[in-house]
Amino acid sequence: MARILTLTLNPALDLAIRTGPLRLGEVNRTESTRLDPAGKGINVARVLAGLGHEVTVSGLLGADNETAFVRLFTERGLRDAFIRVPGETRINAKLSEPDGRVTDLNGPGPRIPAEALEALSQRLESLLTGLDAVVISGSLPPNVTPEQLAGLVRAVWARQVRVWLDTSGAALVAGLAARPSAVKPNEKELADWAGHPLETSEARLRAALRLNAEGIEDVIVSAGAEGVLWVRGGEALAATSPRVSVVSTVGAGDTLVAGMLHGVLSGWPRERGLRFATALAAESVRHVGVGDPGASDFEQLQQRTEVRSLSVDALPGGTHG
């Protein structure tokens, strides 16, 4: 299997809360609560390790509440290369209601000393030897700039290691300018980058093709219940997820990234990789946490995942409008 590094600059302890329908301004009773070490890159790493890859996790981690993270890394067989910073890693609250709606209350994260960022850059140099891929995921701490994120993308590319990016806002814009090998925006993040609403599948396809034409090899767009779009080399595939009961969508996008990268690194045909990753993301929303390829019905989920080719030439108004 492959050797992979995930970078999480702003990890979090995720407080997952299941409730009945929320009544704002009133007392609400919880059905369940759990606190898990998380962050997008850590979620990706958990899935990839479960698929048999050798995974190193790095980034910036608060020293004052690291215990749950260290325990997770040990339990999941993840190599811990995080730089510790003063203070606590943030806590994010995820409120899940019976209809599947999830409300995120995300903290900003700690301020990062300049010496910690320098230490991360130096550690990255030592970690890149022999890697097959790097995944950079998640938001930025308050005083880490989008340009610094782009610098990390360029540093990985300078060593000729493929780099996958999953972030949003200004960080996504700056990261895209550094030309990662792959990017995984959701439909809103893609629209924010494009500068206008993308309300149809055709509009999302045009935007993805623009990124592809600008030098990003793999563009993967997650659109919730509308499925997943994958553009490579000017050719497009779309997947429709199987219908499942939704408990929590937290971690579904990270599961999709891990599943897609697994298929690419395994050399699978594109249809097989997209079907696998889409089904794995669907499996993940049935419970709190990331997708489990060992689920008893995972083969059935793959069989119920529809993958089809899209005709790029038939797009009205051209492919890059």
Side-chain angles (χ1 to χ4, degrees):
M1 285 295 182
R3 295 183 61 198
I4 303 164
L5 169 69
T6 69
L7 284 180
T8 310
L9 301 181
N10 203 17
L13 287 164
D14 275 356
L15 178 60
I17 304 171
R18 292 189 64 186
T19 73
L22 282 177
R23 301 183 303 277
L24 298 181
E26 300 182 25
V27 174
N28 292 267
R29 302 293 180 185
T30 63
E31 297 178 0
S32 66
T33 60
R34 57 183 285 177
L35 186 65
D36 293 307
K40 293 182 72 63
I42 293 172
N43 292 340
V44 171
R46 289 173 59 189
V47 178
L48 288 169
L51 290 167
H53 298 284
E54 181 183 333
V55 186
T56 299
V57 289
S58 188
L60 304 165
L61 188 66
D64 292 353
N65 59 347
E66 67 170 9
T67 302
F69 291 93
V70 173
R71 184 185 306 117
L72 174 72
F73 300 155
T74 301
E75 291 173 350
R76 303 289 176 163
L78 303 172
R79 179 188 174 195
D80 178 7
F82 268 93
I83 299 294
R84 269 50 174 186
V85 298
E88 293 189 342
T89 295
R90 62 190 176 138
I91 296 178
N92 292 341
K94 316 288 187 181
L95 307 178
S96 301
E97 298 176 70
D99 63 358
R101 183 173 70 170
V102 177
T103 301
D104 290 352
L105 301 173
N106 290 348
R111 295 188 67 81
I112 305 301
E115 57 268 25
L117 280 175
E118 179 59 31
L120 179 62
S121 295
Q122 292 176 1
R123 183 162 295 181
L124 181 60
E125 281 296 313
S126 66
L127 291 172
L128 287 174
T129 302
L131 286 182
D132 296 290
V134 173
V135 180
I136 303 177
S137 298
S139 63
L140 302 180
N143 62 324
V144 175
T145 68
E147 289 71 26
Q148 287 170 317
L149 172 72
L152 292 174
V153 174
R154 286 190 289 268
V156 176
W157 257 135
R159 297 287 292 275
Q160 297 183 328
V161 177
R162 72 179 81 201
V163 53
W164 285 40
L165 179 66
D166 183 12
T167 186
S168 60
L172 177 61
V173 173
L176 289 172
R179 298 294 181 266
S181 47
V183 65
K184 202 260 350 133
N186 61 31
E187 70 270 39
K188 182 181 184 304
E189 292 161 351
L190 185 64
D192 289 344
W193 167 80
H196 56 82
L198 302 173
E199 297 175 346
T200 66
S201 58
E202 289 81 5
R204 291 191 288 271
L205 176 55
R206 284 197 196 94
L209 286 164
R210 280 177 54 198
L211 285 173
N212 207 201
E214 290 177 10
I216 299 175
E217 182 180 10
D218 291 294
V219 181
I220 303 150
V221 183
S222 56
E226 294 188 46
V228 181
L229 170 68
W230 183 13
V231 174
R232 170 187 272 191
E235 298 181 353
L237 292 176
T240 302
S241 303
R243 289 186 177 275
V244 296
S245 297
V246 177
V247 171
S248 173
T249 58
V250 177
D254 306 324
T255 297
L256 178 67
V257 169
M260 292 292 295
L261 182 56
H262 174 68
V264 169
L265 293 177
S266 299
W268 289 353
R270 291 183 62 204
E271 292 82 356
R272 179 184 177 187
L274 181 56
R275 179 174 287 107
F276 175 88
T278 303
L280 191 59
E283 198 288 322
S284 76
V285 305
R286 304 187 300 183
H287 52 80
V288 175
V290 296
D292 177 14
S296 60
D297 63 344
F298 184 60
E299 181 60 36
Q300 286 72 35
L301 288 176
Q302 291 191 80
Q303 292 173 4
R304 289 161 45 204
T305 301
E306 177 190 348
V307 177
R308 63 195 185 281
S309 296
L310 300 180
S311 175
V312 172
D313 295 336
L315 276 178
T319 60
H320 310 302

